[in-house]
Amino acid sequence: MNLAKFPRRRYTAGPTPIERIPRFSEALGGPQVYIKRDDLLGLTGGGNKTRKLEFLVADALAQGCDTLITCGGIQSNHCRLTLAAAVKEGLNCWLVLSEPSSGAYRADANGNIFLYHLLGAGKIKIVPDGVDWPTELRVAEAEAVAAGHRPYVIPMGGSNAIGALGYAACAAEIMGQCFDQSLSVDRIVVAGGSAGTLAGTLLGLELLHFDVPVTAISVVNPNEELLADAKRIAADTAAYLGVDAKVRPDAVTCYDAYIGPGYGQPTKEMVAAVKLLARSEGILLDPTYTGKAMAGLIDLARQGVIRPEENVLFLHTGGSPSLYAATHLFAESPAGGHEE
Ligand SMILES: Cc1ncc(COP(=O)(O)O)c(C=O)c1O
């Protein structure tokens, strides 16, 4: 794999750290957990989309585009980071956001919504949940063209062959760091949404012959759908890279048992996981992705699926700015009792 042949912008100064989290591991009473700190990636607030955007925005610039258009939920980390990349590059940015119920989007809300406004999104369009995203994005693209812009459309989550290159690169980064740190990892645990992160990671691991199985904790779709999406994006990415590779069946296991009532809806296990990592290591997760992924890791360790002697690498894909729009879920005193 030769990633250097693709245009790439750089939004992070160097590799993100891999940190051992002994207090968390001790509380778990089992595997030794390490964290790949992609929450510390560059652009406003960090997170996995920064790696995808390095390749996507470079492609937009190579095509002479002046406006980034993308979509997501109302508290979308991907939209925040696409906007942040646009700001950094001097581009316009239009966001199409879907609200779960009418009126759920409030312009004065905290978290990512606050940041859309602070960073100066060019246009925000609110649509109902369940719309056909490709159609909505085409409409926005046509509007941008009519307004005299040269738009570049980034799909949901930046999950396509170009965006996934960011996580193929991350797999290479992890392999180098594990070698440098004499760290032998038994599995990687990662949240799965639109599957670009999973696809890029799996393809990178495969092409590098870096034999570490991946445990994907789905936060939105059933296992079969997450796996099918990851395989499709990995195949597209391999074609784009010009290599012959695909995801082996034993390379990944998906778990959809931690979604709870639905995408973006809290579970008590997510709340417990966010609190445990915050209080044992001072590291923030998010309520929609990494909180549920960590809840999955904790439960799989308690069930013995993740064995006590394993070294587990949790890929922290970011998202903590959305915590500030969900403070009510965590409202209790530091000692653990509820506030009066
Ligand atoms: C914090 C965070 N983690 C994980 C994901 C999931 O990544 P992907 O959509 O590539 O599966 C997202 C996607 O928005 C995210 O914001």
Side-chain angles (χ1 to χ4, degrees), residues 46-49 52 75-81 112 156-159 167 190-199 219 226 263 286 288-290 315-320 322:
N48 59 342
K49 309 306 175 196
K52 301 180 182 185
Q75 281 289 346
S76 165
N77 300 308
H78 166 65
C79 288
R80 165 190 27 104
L81 286 167
N112 286 317
M156 173 76 81
S159 288
Y167 271 88
V190 64
S194 60
T197 303
L198 180 59
V219 301
L226 176 61
Y263 170 75
D286 82 286
T288 306
Y289 298 94
T290 53
L315 183 42
H316 189 338
T317 45
S320 64
S322 69

Side-chain angles (χ1 to χ4, degrees), residues 256-281:
D256 56 16
Y258 306 102
I259 300 172
Y263 170 75
Q265 295 186 40
T267 62
K268 65 178 190 330
E269 293 78 11
M270 173 281 289
V271 172
V274 172
K275 285 183 181 172
L276 181 59
L277 190 67
R279 291 174 185 185
S280 58
E281 302 285 346

